[in-house]
Amino acid sequence: MLSQIDDNGVVVISTNPEQFRNGDVTFAFRPNSDFFYLTGFQEPQAVAVISRNTYTMFLRDKDPDREIWDGERLGLADAPEALKLEKALNIDLLDEHLTQLMTAENVVYFDEKPCDLDRMLGDLLSNHTIKSLQEPLHEMRLIKDEFETKIMQKAANISMVAHVLAMQYVSPNMFEYELQSIFDAHFVKNNATHAYTPIVAGGKNACVLHYIENNKPLKDGDLVLIDAGCEFENYASDITRTLPVNGQFSKAQKQIYQIVLDAQLAAIESIKPGVSVHKPHKVASNIIQQGLESLGLLTPDEPLSKFYMHGTGHWLGMDVHDVGKYQHNQQHRKFEQGMVITVEPGIYIRKDDKINPIYHDIGIRIEDDILVTSTGNTVLTEQLAKTIDEIETLMNTN
Ligand code: GLY
Ligand code: MN
Ligand code: MN
């Protein structure tokens, strides 16, 4: 990080605030991704101050009474060695010490979120040059190193196994939440959490892009779209598969599925260093347009957005919709080694008088996680069944 900032710059960053559900009951704590990326520190109530000369962390000191309730704390005495700090200071003294630490520096890198440090920085902000920390930091986060890609592969592996278990478990009349429970259990068993609220959407629910109720029965003859991925060691995976609830795709379902699959495979194929990050969307959109036209579902003068209304992918990393710009100077940027992007085209056909009823309520998305390598790409989620044959075979073997 330090090579990215001015010689006389200082970085100030806090972790996330704790979120209360009600009274003294908290949601599970998740550190702020930027903060964790820089510090590796998982505890709440922490602020890091980093310059070329010093690295200081404000954190909670040990407190035997509180630790009975909330768990063990690293504490001030052990923090310097554990976190490779010069100095550990009590978070209760933040107001008093924060600005003193920074008087020698001219440029302060910080962003108002996740905590409102601007109040404490007070006068310093008017006397110093303020620069956004997120701008250089998010560019760094966009390019994953080997340590990060190994964790992302582990996250992908956990999610792939859960999808296989779900393929083998699903059957007609089961509720969507019963199918979701496969992911809940498998993620917990592997010390992982959901990276985002999962979508388990049977039949027409799959045509609601952000469907998360997951509380309807799955019907014989319908498809079920499952968009579920775990977060492992603070890195996300993001996988979608669409399955026939009874283990057998109908002819109409196969036709639409094959178009989405062809679009997805071609979009993945297009990803390599030097190629515009917009290319996968262009490639996928063209194939979906042609496929829908050949089935008579779309005319050349109708917009593709009637059936395909979202982008083809997003950066993936510590956050499921990860940080990093898609454009530079209003131009799409180019893929670089170490970027990780999802490829997730779909087709969503609602009931409509003008559409042959065999296609009604078909919602299909296929999503994989792609790492850009020096010469092309590696699909982190490659091992998971995806073709019609692979899915049907897996669903019909015990
Ligand atoms: N699961 C969120 C997404 O696919 O973007
Ligand atoms: Mn996604
Ligand atoms: Mn997804």
Side-chain angles (χ1 to χ4, degrees):
M1 176 73 223
L2 289 175
S3 63
Q4 306 285 318
I5 67 172
D6 296 1
D7 285 352
N8 57 354
V10 60
V11 168
V12 187
I13 183 165
S14 75
T15 196
N16 280 333
E18 287 165 287
Q19 300 285 344
F20 287 85
R21 187 182 177 113
N22 47 53
D24 60 354
V25 178
T26 51
F27 287 101
F29 180 71
R30 164 50 159 91
N32 172 262
S33 296
D34 285 340
F35 180 86
F36 185 80
Y37 182 85
L38 287 177
T39 67
F41 191 41
Q42 294 267 20
E43 288 187 21
Q45 298 182 40
V47 173
V49 182
I50 308 166
S51 72
R52 280 184 208 278
N53 307 320
T54 64
Y55 175 18
T56 305
M57 180 81 75
F58 292 89
L59 71 161
R60 302 174 309 180
D61 201 3
K62 292 200 75 74
D63 179 338
D65 288 340
R66 275 317 316 166
E67 288 179 53
I68 289 171
W69 294 89
D70 302 330
E72 204 177 335
R73 300 176 177 185
L74 178 60
L76 300 185
D78 290 340
E81 196 186 329
L83 301 174
K84 313 257 178 304
L85 310 169
E86 262 87 47
K87 222 189 287 177
L89 294 171
N90 196 315
I91 188 73
D92 294 338
L93 304 179
L94 182 64
D95 263 22
E96 213 171 297
H97 288 291
L98 181 58
T99 54
Q100 284 168 24
L101 269 178
M102 293 154 45
T103 45
E105 323 294 347
N106 291 326
V107 185
V108 182
Y109 289 82
F110 101 111
D111 300 283
E112 282 175 34
K113 286 185 174 164
C115 276
D116 306 321
L117 288 171
D118 48 337
R119 178 187 61 77
M120 279 170 234
L121 292 170
D123 287 346
L124 210 72
L125 294 182
S126 50
N127 298 331
H128 288 63
T129 305
I130 308 301
K131 290 193 180 173
S132 166
L133 170 60
Q134 288 177 353
E135 270 182 44
L137 188 58
H138 290 182
E139 280 299 298
M140 291 173 66
R141 279 180 53 191
L142 179 55
I143 308 295
K144 278 76 182 173
D145 64 17
E146 204 184 324
F147 173 79
E148 295 178 287
T149 53
K150 279 197 174 138
I151 299 175
M152 291 189 76
Q153 183 65 68
K154 283 189 196 162
N157 292 348
I158 294 167
S159 298
M160 284 193 282
V161 171
H163 276 269
V164 170
L165 293 171
M167 288 178 194
Q168 294 175 327
Y169 181 67
V170 65
S171 65
N173 304 322
M174 177 180 282
F175 279 80
E176 292 162 341
Y177 52 73
E178 289 178 80
L179 189 52
Q180 182 190 319
S181 74
I182 297 291
F183 293 86
D184 302 345
H186 190 71
F187 291 172
V188 172
K189 251 191 222 170
N190 286 278
N191 196 22
T193 57
H194 283 279
Y196 51 91
T197 308
I199 296 170
V200 182
K204 65 177 183 175
N205 300 332
C207 296
V208 178
L209 297 179
H210 289 165
Y211 178 82
I212 51 171
E213 285 84 358
N214 303 351
N215 60 2
K216 305 289 185 309
L218 296 169
K219 293 192 204 130
D220 200 347
D222 274 357
L223 296 172
V224 57
L225 182 157
I226 307 174
D227 185 344
C230 76
E231 177 179 296
F232 180 70
E233 294 183 355
N234 293 323
Y235 283 84
S237 54
D238 186 5
I239 302 180
T240 307
R241 288 293 183 270
T242 309
L243 322 170
V245 168
N246 63 13
Q248 213 75 52
F249 287 94
S250 72
K251 185 166 169 238
Q253 289 165 352
K254 277 186 186 170
Q255 287 173 325
I256 305 298
Y257 191 94
Q258 195 59 47
I259 296 170
V260 178
L261 181 59
D262 290 345
Q264 203 238 14
L265 292 172
I268 293 173
E269 180 74 26
S270 74
I271 295 176
K272 58 180 178 203
V275 164
S276 162
V277 300
H278 188 55
K279 181 96 185 261
H281 185 63
K282 265 182 30 192
V283 167
S285 299
N286 280 338
I287 292 175
I288 292 175
Q289 175 101 32
Q290 285 167 21
L292 291 172
E293 284 178 20
S294 72
L295 291 178
L297 290 166
L298 199 67
T299 58
D301 50 337
E302 280 182 306
L304 180 60
S305 58
K306 185 170 168 193
F307 298 115
Y308 180 34
M309 60 297 278
H310 59 74
T312 296
H314 52 81
W315 303 131
L316 184 71
M318 299 188 81
D319 300 325
V320 64
H321 291 175
D322 206 32
V323 295
K325 292 199 163 96
Y326 294 88
Q327 298 193 337
H328 283 320
N329 302 323
Q330 292 166 352
Q331 302 281 335
H332 297 293
R333 69 189 300 168
K334 302 213 174 351
F335 283 117
E336 294 169 45
Q337 182 179 356
M339 292 173 166
V340 180
I341 194 160
T342 66
V343 175
E344 49 180 304
I347 296 177
Y348 311 90
I349 310 174
R350 280 168 206 76
K351 261 199 180 71
D352 181 328
D353 292 345
K354 288 182 235 119
I355 290 170
N356 184 338
I358 61 167
Y359 297 112
H360 284 180
D361 296 334
I362 291 182
I364 293 173
R365 178 164 65 255
I366 307 171
E367 176 173 26
D368 284 299
D369 304 341
I370 320 301
L371 166 67
V372 184
T373 60
S374 60
T375 53
N377 70 67
T378 299
V379 182
L380 299 176
T381 46
E382 176 85 53
Q383 298 307 314
L384 181 58
K386 182 159 73 169
T387 65
I388 290 169
D389 276 355
E390 284 167 353
I391 288 176
E392 287 187 347
T393 302
L394 198 51
M395 292 183 74
N396 292 293
T397 46
N398 293 314

Short mmCIF file of all heavy atoms in Angstrom, two decimals, residues 196-199 210 227-229 237-240 313-314 320-321 342 344 365 367, ligand 1:
data_model
loop_
_atom_site.label_atom_id
_atom_site.label_comp_id
_atom_site.label_asym_id
_atom_site.label_seq_id
_atom_site.Cartn_x
_atom_site.Cartn_y
_atom_site.Cartn_z
N TYR A 196 -23.70 -13.78 0.30
CA TYR A 196 -24.84 -12.90 -0.01
C TYR A 196 -26.08 -13.72 0.25
O TYR A 196 -26.01 -14.96 0.38
CB TYR A 196 -24.80 -12.43 -1.47
CG TYR A 196 -24.64 -13.56 -2.46
CD1 TYR A 196 -25.74 -14.20 -3.02
CD2 TYR A 196 -23.38 -14.04 -2.79
CE1 TYR A 196 -25.59 -15.26 -3.89
CE2 TYR A 196 -23.21 -15.11 -3.66
CZ TYR A 196 -24.32 -15.72 -4.21
OH TYR A 196 -24.18 -16.77 -5.08
N THR A 197 -27.22 -13.07 0.36
CA THR A 197 -28.45 -13.81 0.62
C THR A 197 -28.74 -14.71 -0.58
O THR A 197 -28.83 -14.23 -1.72
CB THR A 197 -29.63 -12.85 0.83
OG1 THR A 197 -29.24 -11.91 1.83
CG2 THR A 197 -30.87 -13.59 1.28
N PRO A 198 -28.85 -16.02 -0.36
CA PRO A 198 -28.99 -16.92 -1.52
C PRO A 198 -30.36 -16.79 -2.18
O PRO A 198 -31.35 -16.43 -1.53
CB PRO A 198 -28.83 -18.31 -0.90
CG PRO A 198 -29.23 -18.15 0.53
CD PRO A 198 -28.85 -16.75 0.92
N ILE A 199 -30.38 -17.08 -3.46
CA ILE A 199 -31.63 -17.11 -4.23
C ILE A 199 -31.94 -18.57 -4.54
O ILE A 199 -31.11 -19.25 -5.18
CB ILE A 199 -31.48 -16.33 -5.55
CG1 ILE A 199 -31.20 -14.84 -5.26
CG2 ILE A 199 -32.71 -16.50 -6.43
CD1 ILE A 199 -30.80 -14.04 -6.49
N HIS A 210 -34.02 -10.48 -7.98
CA HIS A 210 -33.54 -10.44 -6.60
C HIS A 210 -34.46 -11.20 -5.65
O HIS A 210 -34.66 -10.80 -4.50
CB HIS A 210 -33.38 -8.98 -6.13
CG HIS A 210 -32.24 -8.27 -6.78
ND1 HIS A 210 -32.08 -6.92 -6.77
CD2 HIS A 210 -31.19 -8.76 -7.48
CE1 HIS A 210 -30.98 -6.59 -7.44
NE2 HIS A 210 -30.42 -7.70 -7.88
N ASP A 227 -28.84 -19.41 -6.86
CA ASP A 227 -27.69 -18.51 -6.87
C ASP A 227 -27.18 -18.45 -5.44
O ASP A 227 -27.76 -17.77 -4.59
CB ASP A 227 -28.13 -17.12 -7.37
CG ASP A 227 -26.95 -16.16 -7.54
OD1 ASP A 227 -25.86 -16.44 -7.01
OD2 ASP A 227 -27.15 -15.12 -8.21
N ALA A 228 -26.13 -19.23 -5.15
CA ALA A 228 -25.63 -19.33 -3.78
C ALA A 228 -24.13 -19.52 -3.80
O ALA A 228 -23.60 -20.33 -4.57
CB ALA A 228 -26.29 -20.51 -3.05
N GLY A 229 -23.43 -18.77 -2.96
CA GLY A 229 -21.98 -18.90 -2.87
C GLY A 229 -21.53 -18.53 -1.48
O GLY A 229 -22.15 -17.69 -0.82
N SER A 237 -17.38 -16.41 -3.10
CA SER A 237 -17.61 -17.14 -4.35
C SER A 237 -19.05 -16.83 -4.74
O SER A 237 -19.84 -16.39 -3.90
CB SER A 237 -17.40 -18.64 -4.17
OG SER A 237 -18.20 -19.10 -3.09
N ASP A 238 -19.40 -17.07 -5.99
CA ASP A 238 -20.72 -16.64 -6.48
C ASP A 238 -21.10 -17.55 -7.64
O ASP A 238 -20.55 -17.41 -8.74
CB ASP A 238 -20.61 -15.16 -6.93
CG ASP A 238 -21.94 -14.56 -7.32
OD1 ASP A 238 -22.98 -15.23 -7.17
OD2 ASP A 238 -21.93 -13.41 -7.80
N ILE A 239 -22.00 -18.51 -7.37
CA ILE A 239 -22.32 -19.53 -8.38
C ILE A 239 -23.82 -19.60 -8.58
O ILE A 239 -24.58 -19.60 -7.61
CB ILE A 239 -21.85 -20.93 -7.91
CG1 ILE A 239 -20.34 -20.94 -7.63
CG2 ILE A 239 -22.21 -21.99 -8.95
CD1 ILE A 239 -19.81 -22.31 -7.17
N THR A 240 -24.25 -19.70 -9.84
CA THR A 240 -25.65 -19.99 -10.13
C THR A 240 -25.74 -21.23 -11.02
O THR A 240 -24.99 -21.36 -11.99
CB THR A 240 -26.32 -18.81 -10.88
OG1 THR A 240 -26.12 -17.61 -10.13
CG2 THR A 240 -27.82 -19.06 -11.04
N GLY A 313 -21.56 -9.73 -15.73
CA GLY A 313 -20.66 -10.10 -14.65
C GLY A 313 -20.22 -8.92 -13.83
O GLY A 313 -20.58 -7.77 -14.13
N HIS A 314 -19.48 -9.20 -12.79
CA HIS A 314 -18.98 -8.16 -11.87
C HIS A 314 -17.71 -8.68 -11.23
O HIS A 314 -17.48 -9.90 -11.16
CB HIS A 314 -20.04 -7.84 -10.81
CG HIS A 314 -20.57 -9.05 -10.09
ND1 HIS A 314 -19.90 -9.66 -9.06
CD2 HIS A 314 -21.67 -9.81 -10.30
CE1 HIS A 314 -20.59 -10.71 -8.65
NE2 HIS A 314 -21.66 -10.84 -9.39
N VAL A 320 -18.81 -9.62 -2.66
CA VAL A 320 -19.35 -10.37 -3.81
C VAL A 320 -19.45 -9.46 -5.03
O VAL A 320 -19.09 -9.89 -6.14
CB VAL A 320 -20.69 -11.06 -3.48
CG1 VAL A 320 -21.80 -10.09 -3.15
CG2 VAL A 320 -21.10 -11.95 -4.63
N HIS A 321 -19.92 -8.25 -4.86
CA HIS A 321 -19.81 -7.26 -5.93
C HIS A 321 -18.60 -6.43 -5.56
O HIS A 321 -18.68 -5.45 -4.84
CB HIS A 321 -21.07 -6.40 -6.03
CG HIS A 321 -22.26 -7.18 -6.53
ND1 HIS A 321 -23.52 -6.66 -6.62
CD2 HIS A 321 -22.37 -8.46 -6.96
CE1 HIS A 321 -24.35 -7.59 -7.09
NE2 HIS A 321 -23.67 -8.69 -7.29
N THR A 342 -17.18 -12.52 -12.46
CA THR A 342 -18.19 -13.55 -12.69
C THR A 342 -18.66 -13.45 -14.14
O THR A 342 -18.59 -12.38 -14.76
CB THR A 342 -19.42 -13.37 -11.79
OG1 THR A 342 -20.09 -12.16 -12.14
CG2 THR A 342 -19.03 -13.33 -10.32
N GLU A 344 -22.27 -14.46 -15.91
CA GLU A 344 -23.57 -14.93 -15.46
C GLU A 344 -24.73 -14.47 -16.35
O GLU A 344 -25.65 -13.78 -15.89
CB GLU A 344 -23.82 -14.48 -14.03
CG GLU A 344 -23.55 -13.00 -13.76
CD GLU A 344 -23.83 -12.63 -12.30
OE1 GLU A 344 -24.96 -12.86 -11.84
OE2 GLU A 344 -22.92 -12.11 -11.64
N ARG A 365 -30.28 -18.83 -15.29
CA ARG A 365 -28.99 -18.13 -15.23
C ARG A 365 -27.93 -19.18 -14.94
O ARG A 365 -28.19 -20.14 -14.19
CB ARG A 365 -29.01 -17.05 -14.14
CG ARG A 365 -27.69 -16.31 -14.00
CD ARG A 365 -27.79 -15.00 -13.22
NE ARG A 365 -28.13 -15.15 -11.82
CZ ARG A 365 -29.31 -14.87 -11.30
NH1 ARG A 365 -30.29 -14.43 -12.07
NH2 ARG A 365 -29.55 -15.04 -10.02
N GLU A 367 -23.84 -19.18 -13.74
CA GLU A 367 -22.82 -18.24 -13.25
C GLU A 367 -21.58 -18.98 -12.75
O GLU A 367 -21.68 -19.90 -11.94
CB GLU A 367 -23.40 -17.41 -12.10
CG GLU A 367 -22.39 -16.47 -11.47
CD GLU A 367 -23.02 -15.53 -10.45
OE1 GLU A 367 -24.05 -15.87 -9.85
OE2 GLU A 367 -22.44 -14.44 -10.24
N1 GLY B 1 -25.30 -13.36 -6.30
C1 GLY B 1 -25.25 -12.02 -6.69
C2 GLY B 1 -24.89 -11.89 -8.09
O1 GLY B 1 -24.85 -12.87 -8.80
O2 GLY B 1 -24.60 -10.84 -8.55
#
